[in-house]
Amino acid sequence: MITGNVTKNQSPEKKSFKKPSRWQTLLSEAVRDPLELLQLLNLQPENAMPADFNPEHFPLRVPRGFIAKMQKNNWQDPLLRQVLPLDAEQRISPGFQLDPVNDLHATQGKGMLQKYHGRALIITTGACAIHCRYCFRQHFPYHSNSANPAEWQALVSKLDANPSISEVILSGGDPLTLSDARLAALCQQITDIPHIHTLRIHSRLPLVLPERIDASFLHWFSALDIHKVVVIHANHAQEFCSKTSQVLNKLRQNGALLLNQSVLLKGINDSVTSLVELSQTLHANQVLPYYLHMLDQVQGAAHYAVTEQHALQLMQEIRNQLPGYLVPRLVREVSGKRSKSPII
Ligand SMILES: *Cc1c(COP(=O)(O)O)cnc(C)c1O
Ligand code: SF4
């Protein structure tokens, strides 16, 4: 472990007076108005304007750079379909719940979840750069369950006191929406705990706001003396661009093992072609497919559900077309289980 504190003299208070970074400006300019999104894509709202277009509890949010990866004039675009609120969200579907993976029962004090042996997951923030309509945490009560930076100290003490934990997973929300000052301080504190040997970051930002991985981030990230794993979340090959490839390359050069998790989503990636293409694109970026998740049964997302039978057929087909290392593990989260549950 390194002893030097990479964030010395960079308290969050001091940072907040600084000019925002470019990525922070881009984040603040994300599109929140569905009409603007449709206009940017040459789509006529009257052709498919849902009645209740922008639900208050989980408003539309999508960075402009991600919109630039969408096809114009195409309602079925696989990226657009991930972010556009639809009427179908208002349907109450039997079996679809507010907290489908039982996160509230796994909280270990504010901001921390421990479901699996050796790994603790920290909900660093409720904020995301993009709002994915299928998200299983869309109803999660972040206000009462994510720790704010002032409370991180208590979390770090908890990790320090629990030698059975060897890996810390930063999740959210999206941990990379936090400022460098905050994130670097937290990561350094975790790195300094002797029994923690792996720091894992789950983030969608390399795809939806690659500018986040800037020189300032790489400066402190590369200095962390711990095994680093970055799990990105791409559902479709079209989410990649040259900027994304560049930052993935940088993350890898700075010591991160790169993995991808996806959610199997109806009308977005539930075809052999799109799954094969995704794996090949990941390979081209030296990212290994990790999990392909069955949709968590969260209220408002039933229209994205793929049946288990169809999922298994897809897996069989992609296994026939890809080398084993490019085949993701199809899993489902079953509450109460001690790991994600493989579907075979
Ligand atoms: C998914 C998850 C993990 C990580 O599980 P892996 O199988 O190691 O990727 C850890 N903690 C919680 C609460 C999770 O939901
Ligand atoms: S980025 Fe992740 S946590 Fe945030 S809305 Fe999308 S799926 Fe949910």
Side-chain angles (χ1 to χ4, degrees), residues 70-118:
M70 297 175 184
Q71 305 147 17
K72 297 223 159 103
N73 305 304
N74 184 5
W75 282 100
Q76 303 309 320
D77 178 81
L79 276 50
L80 175 65
R81 290 183 63 102
Q82 294 182 47
V83 299
L84 187 67
L86 295 177
D87 262 354
E89 288 182 14
Q90 313 301 323
R91 262 183 246 142
I92 301 289
S93 309
F96 282 72
Q97 302 151 15
L98 291 177
D99 179 17
V101 298
N102 225 355
D103 270 352
L104 285 174
H105 289 268
T107 49
Q108 298 279 314
K110 211 171 174 188
M112 185 147 101
L113 295 177
Q114 196 183 354
K115 289 186 180 173
Y116 307 144
H117 177 77

Side-chain angles (χ1 to χ4, degrees), residues 36-44 64-80 238:
E36 186 183 356
L37 172 62
L38 296 181
Q39 206 171 33
L40 287 166
L41 297 171
N42 279 343
L43 292 169
Q44 302 305 317
R64 288 170 197 273
F66 196 70
I67 299 173
K69 300 182 192 186
M70 297 175 184
Q71 305 147 17
K72 297 223 159 103
N73 305 304
N74 184 5
W75 282 100
Q76 303 309 320
D77 178 81
L79 276 50
L80 175 65
Q238 202 183 306

Side-chain angles (χ1 to χ4, degrees), residues 58 126-138 142 171-174 202-205 208 233 235 263:
F58 192 53
C128 290
I130 188 165
H131 287 171
C132 317
R133 307 315 301 174
Y134 53 83
C135 180
F136 74 101
R137 292 219 173 101
Q138 60 181 277
Y142 283 109
S171 181
D174 198 310
H202 281 199
S203 176
R204 204 148 152 59
L205 266 71
V208 307
H233 173 179
N235 297 313
V263 182

Side-chain angles (χ1 to χ4, degrees), residues 101 103 106 112-117 119-122 136-137 167 169 171 200 202 231 259 261 290-291 293 331 333 338-340:
V101 298
D103 270 352
M112 185 147 101
L113 295 177
Q114 196 183 354
K115 289 186 180 173
Y116 307 144
H117 177 77
R119 286 149 289 171
L121 183 147
I122 297 186
F136 74 101
R137 292 219 173 101
E167 173 166 8
I169 301 168
S171 181
R200 193 197 311 184
H202 281 199
V231 182
L259 304 172
Q261 58 177 346
Y290 182 37
Y291 284 140
H293 293 269
V331 292
E333 179 136 358
R338 300 185 59 208
S339 71
K340 309 265 186 262

